[in-house]
Amino acid sequence: MPNRRDLANAIRALSMDAVEAAKSGHPGAPMGMADIAEVLWNDFLRHNPANPRWVNRDRFVLSNGHGSMLLYSLLHLSGYDMPIEQIKAFRQLHSKTAGHPEAHEHPAIETTTGPLGQGLANAVGMALAEKVLAARFNRDGLNIVDHNTYVFLGDGCLMEGISHEVCSLAGTLKLGKLIALYDDNGISIDGNVRGWFTDDTRARFESYGWEVITGVDGHNAEAIKAAIVSAALDPDKPTLICCRTTIGFGAPTKAGKESAHGAPLGKDEIAGAREALGWPHAPFVVPDEIYEAWNANAKGGRWESEWNALFARYEQAHPELAAEFKRRLARELPADFGANALAYAHKLQAEGPVVASRKASQMALEAFGPLLPELIGGSADLAHSNLTLWKGSKNVNTAGGEGNYVYYGVREFGMSAIANGLALHGGFVPYDATFLVFSDYARNAVRMSALIPAQAIHVYTHDSIGLGEDGPTHQPVEHLAALRYIPNNPVWRPCDTVETAMAWRHAIERKAGPSCLVFSRQNLPHQLRTEQQLLDIERGGYVLLDPLNAKVELILIATGSEVGMTMDAARVLDGEGIGVRVVSMPCTQIFDAQPIEWREGVLPSWCRARVAIEAGVSDFWRKYVGLDGHVIGIDRFGASAPAEKLYPYFGFTVDKIVEAARKQIGR
């Protein structure tokens, strides 16, 4: 039977060989954390390589994602579908072993990591999901939700501000099944971190309400094992285990130095490491006895079989709960949700309420929330401005199994990354909220939502200069365009209650990634629509108004709060005998994804006289109006004044639209 060090050395060898073959990568962290990983994966982690998506598996997140070869080595050695050919193809085109872990590349990769601190934040979301699901579904003696979330992290993760946001909240939420193992090697890219990282980490995390275990020898298997055992003792406290390690452990001249961090060791150094580690095998060769000792298929199969037997008893005792549990974990919406959501939109179309779209969003939550027990929301200390609370909202920290709302505090970045973790865990459709201008704080987590992809719904209110007196610090200008430029990230800016309901419906039904829902502070007029026009909202852009008795001479394109004034301008132009089409474009990305026939039908190429109207940067709209078209936008920062003063000041009036339209057709 191989000893523990031999098992850990297999990780080290595969990692340094793969980085050397790729001529790029980060060997230091995998070599330094190999002993910790060996103990965790062989003695504690409950998982099944034959079924990477087993519902009750422990979650493992590599937050210091640059050490990706650590994860790939673990998957390969423990029996997952990660063959040696993939290890040899590290960082190569179309391999499953990308430079940083990418969740879409392999089902055993829980989340995409690399931007430091975000994996830790995702892990907080996963641990929160486990806690809330357990409170909702577990019954006496039948704990069908019962697993830990383990996260590896390094100095960089703890330096990133997001770690403060999410770890503080994790302590408040009492996420006792969250266990973080800190690679305390004292080295980052620039050298010894004592020059720029002198935090009292223990005091910091204890102040958050964490249990902290310090002074663990990260190369002593028994010390690591004892620490992980201790971490499970307090059910109300997440645990940070601080493991002193040597980066690049085993490398004869680079161990403990920044030179081991982010570059291949080189052939001579690798040869020396093989000798120092007692690993005489050729590159990418692992002895059979090492593979046999690592392979987790047998015990993983037993764990899943035991759970299946437990769930069978649960299903017999609680058939309705079991059916609901299976539905939610399969990410299947209630069968009648789509029809009910559409019926709600029709009801709004008939009633025509005139409210701010942020209020329309809350109305949609009131309508959809009772239909969707998987919906879990939250706001960054702006619930009463974002209007994210609905009558069924209950605090996850006090409501047990009924909890469905997270009070995130002023933590925009952390909130968005936690929402990604909630989505990734399964069983929830999360939404979060802040002002649109503060999407800047959250933007990298939104980008990760799209990249992973994770079905997180990001709600942004106070969407323009229309928020008024708070002034330019709070008035988003470039933010709509910035969010729209993120691939796989539909941004909805609805013009009334009906478009708002349809935007929420689309976001809830969209499983392929996130959605951004952008809402106004000010009231918006209701727009008249036919049955077909209501259905056309789902196309992202559609004809809201066409001339009754004239040929289309001019197209006006608008979104959100500018649709109302655009419709008023169209009526003025119609009175002058000008044939005007108004296109409402609540989601440009969805419109762009439509067949060419649809796009040509809405924006026919033969009609080049076009004006786009949106209270945001103008350049974004050039692809729709062309260089010969006109955009009424805002290409400077706003000002502090009531909205009714700001709109005329910045040129957003019916008269300005009419004037621009006339110029487009030479009138």
Side-chain angles (χ1 to χ4, degrees):
M1 176 71 179
N3 61 41
R4 284 190 179 276
R5 181 53 56 82
D6 287 337
L7 298 179
N9 284 343
I11 296 172
R12 294 185 171 103
L14 289 172
S15 297
M16 63 186 182
D17 289 343
V19 171
E20 185 67 22
K23 303 303 180 188
S24 70
H26 300 75
M31 296 175 74
M33 297 193 80
D35 296 303
I36 307 169
E38 187 277 320
V39 172
L40 176 64
W41 278 61
N42 283 327
D43 289 12
F44 294 94
L45 194 74
R46 294 172 64 87
H47 62 115
N48 184 8
N51 182 12
R53 291 284 134 183
W54 171 38
V55 167
N56 201 45
R57 69 192 180 279
D58 288 337
R59 271 56 172 182
F60 174 77
V61 175
L62 184 69
S63 189
N64 45 343
H66 55 271
S68 56
M69 267 310 305
L70 175 66
L71 177 56
Y72 304 146
S73 298
L74 288 164
L75 297 179
H76 171 70
L77 292 167
S78 57
Y80 285 86
D81 182 19
M82 181 65 78
I84 196 67
E85 289 75 20
Q86 289 293 332
I87 304 299
K88 292 178 179 179
F90 179 53
R91 288 185 161 227
Q92 303 309 302
L93 186 63
H94 303 313
S95 77
K96 297 182 183 300
T97 49
H100 291 79
E102 296 181 15
H104 65 273
E105 292 288 1
H106 196 286
I109 300 174
E110 297 287 358
T111 183
T112 301
T113 57
L116 294 177
Q118 287 202 61
L120 174 58
N122 296 163
V124 171
M126 293 174 189
L128 175 59
E130 193 276 344
K131 179 177 180 177
V132 177
L133 278 177
R136 173 70 182 93
F137 287 101
N138 288 352
R139 294 297 182 267
D140 290 344
L142 296 170
N143 292 340
I144 59 170
V145 182
D146 184 11
H147 53 266
N148 294 324
T149 300
Y150 297 99
V151 55
F152 279 10
L153 55 97
D155 295 300
C157 290
L158 293 184
M159 283 186 265
E160 286 285 2
I162 191 172
S163 71
H164 297 259
E165 295 184 23
V166 301
C167 292
S168 169
L169 187 60
T172 300
L173 295 174
K174 299 180 179 180
L175 302 181
K177 290 186 176 181
L178 174 63
I179 299 171
L181 293 111
Y182 165 33
D183 182 26
D184 185 11
N185 61 36
I187 297 293
S188 67
I189 292 175
D190 283 350
N192 192 304
V193 300
R194 296 301 297 174
W196 47 87
F197 183 46
T198 57
D199 296 17
D200 186 338
T201 299
R202 176 170 193 156
R204 171 187 161 191
F205 274 79
E206 286 180 342
S207 75
Y208 294 156
W210 287 54
E211 179 182 356
V212 184
I213 302 171
T214 59
V216 177
D217 182 349
H219 302 298
N220 182 313
E222 292 307 312
I224 298 164
K225 185 174 181 178
I228 298 174
V229 169
S230 178
L233 297 180
D234 192 330
D236 290 333
K237 286 187 176 183
T239 302
L240 179 71
I241 301 174
C242 302
C243 300
R244 290 296 301 175
T245 64
T246 300
I247 191 170
F249 182 91
T253 69
K254 296 185 178 183
K257 300 177 182 178
E258 63 269 23
S259 56
H261 173 83
L265 297 179
K267 291 183 179 180
D268 291 343
E269 189 76 7
I270 290 176
R274 278 185 151 76
E275 183 176 352
L277 295 170
W279 186 265
H281 315 291
F284 300 109
V285 172
V286 177
D288 289 344
E289 60 269 23
I290 299 288
Y291 277 126
E292 290 171 7
W294 265 106
N295 194 289
N297 276 289
K299 61 184 178 183
R302 287 197 303 273
W303 285 327
E304 185 168 357
S305 294
E306 290 168 1
W307 184 86
N308 287 338
L310 173 70
F311 189 78
R313 297 197 302 275
Y314 180 90
E315 197 167 23
Q316 187 172 16
H318 307 285
E320 291 184 2
L321 278 174
E324 175 69 2
F325 180 78
K326 289 195 291 186
R327 179 190 71 78
R328 286 175 60 169
L329 269 296
R331 300 183 68 203
E332 296 174 357
L333 293 174
D336 57 354
F337 172 75
N340 284 333
L342 189 59
Y344 173 68
H346 280 102
K347 178 175 179 289
L348 292 172
Q349 188 62 57
E351 295 175 354
V354 175
V355 296
S357 56
R358 63 170 175 162
K359 180 61 179 177
S361 171
Q362 186 180 49
M363 292 163 59
L365 286 170
E366 293 285 2
F368 299 162
L371 307 175
L372 297 167
E374 59 263 56
L375 201 62
I376 185 168
S379 172
D381 201 46
L382 288 169
H384 299 288
S385 292
N386 299 146
L387 301 185
T388 47
L389 288 165
W390 56 285
K391 291 177 183 176
S393 295
K394 295 180 181 178
N395 189 343
V396 296
N397 215 23
T398 58
E402 300 301 315
N404 62 2
Y405 195 85
V406 185
Y407 288 89
Y408 283 105
V410 187
R411 299 181 176 98
E412 295 89 355
F413 191 7
M415 168 185 71
S416 304
I418 287 171
N420 289 341
L422 285 164
L424 285 163
H425 179 278
F428 293 100
V429 175
Y431 67 91
D432 55 62
T434 186
F435 289 166
L436 178 58
V437 76
F438 299 136
S439 65
D440 279 345
Y441 284 141
R443 190 177 188 278
N444 200 262
V446 177
R447 182 177 186 271
M448 295 303 290
S449 301
L451 177 59
I452 290 169
Q455 189 189 6
I457 302 172
H458 305 296
V459 176
Y460 301 117
T461 68
H462 296 61
D463 69 343
S464 70
I465 56 172
L467 69 88
E469 296 86 344
D470 278 336
T473 62
H474 283 53
Q475 291 168 359
V477 175
E478 74 276 22
H479 299 73
L480 283 166
L483 290 169
R484 286 168 176 152
Y485 283 131
I486 299 174
N488 191 37
N489 185 50
V491 179
W492 290 84
R493 188 175 185 240
C495 74
D496 65 1
T497 58
V498 179
E499 284 191 359
T500 299
M502 295 297 280
W504 265 107
R505 177 179 184 244
H506 185 276
I508 290 167
E509 292 181 338
R510 183 176 191 261
K511 298 179 182 179
S515 299
C516 293
L517 308 183
V518 180
F519 301 123
S520 72
R521 179 194 185 200
Q522 70 272 35
N523 287 349
L524 305 181
H526 175 71
Q527 301 300 329
L528 299 177
R529 293 178 187 82
T530 65
E531 165 75 12
Q532 187 58 53
Q533 284 174 314
L534 188 152
L535 296 176
D536 289 345
I537 294 170
E538 290 187 319
R539 302 273 201 157
Y542 65 103
V543 176
L544 184 59
L545 178 70
D546 255 346
L548 290 176
N549 301 307
K551 180 183 177 181
V552 173
E553 300 175 68
L554 170 76
I555 300 175
L556 303 178
I557 310 167
T559 77
S561 51
E562 287 72 71
V563 170
M565 66 177 68
T566 301
M567 290 289 284
D568 290 341
R571 295 182 184 102
V572 172
L573 293 165
D574 181 69
E576 297 177 2
I578 299 172
V580 180
R581 168 174 288 184
V582 175
V583 171
S584 178
M585 189 85 79
C587 185
T588 61
Q589 297 98 321
I590 298 298
F591 176 77
D592 290 346
Q594 298 304 306
I596 184 62
E597 294 80 11
W598 179 264
R599 288 177 281 138
E600 178 67 17
V602 174
L603 297 175
S605 54
W606 51 260
C607 184
R608 301 305 303 165
R610 302 180 184 184
V611 180
I613 308 99
E614 185 177 69
V617 291
S618 60
D619 277 357
F620 175 84
W621 289 97
R622 289 294 168 192
K623 68 176 180 178
Y624 299 107
V625 303
L627 296 178
D628 52 345
H630 185 75
V631 180
I632 298 176
I634 176 168
D635 294 309
R636 52 152 288 185
F637 294 118
S640 180
E644 59 270 21
K645 301 290 185 180
L646 290 175
Y647 266 82
Y649 179 74
F650 286 109
F652 292 92
T653 66
V654 171
D655 289 345
K656 290 292 185 181
I657 299 172
V658 169
E659 179 184 344
R662 289 177 183 146
K663 287 182 179 179
Q664 283 294 297
I665 58 173
R667 296 284 183 97

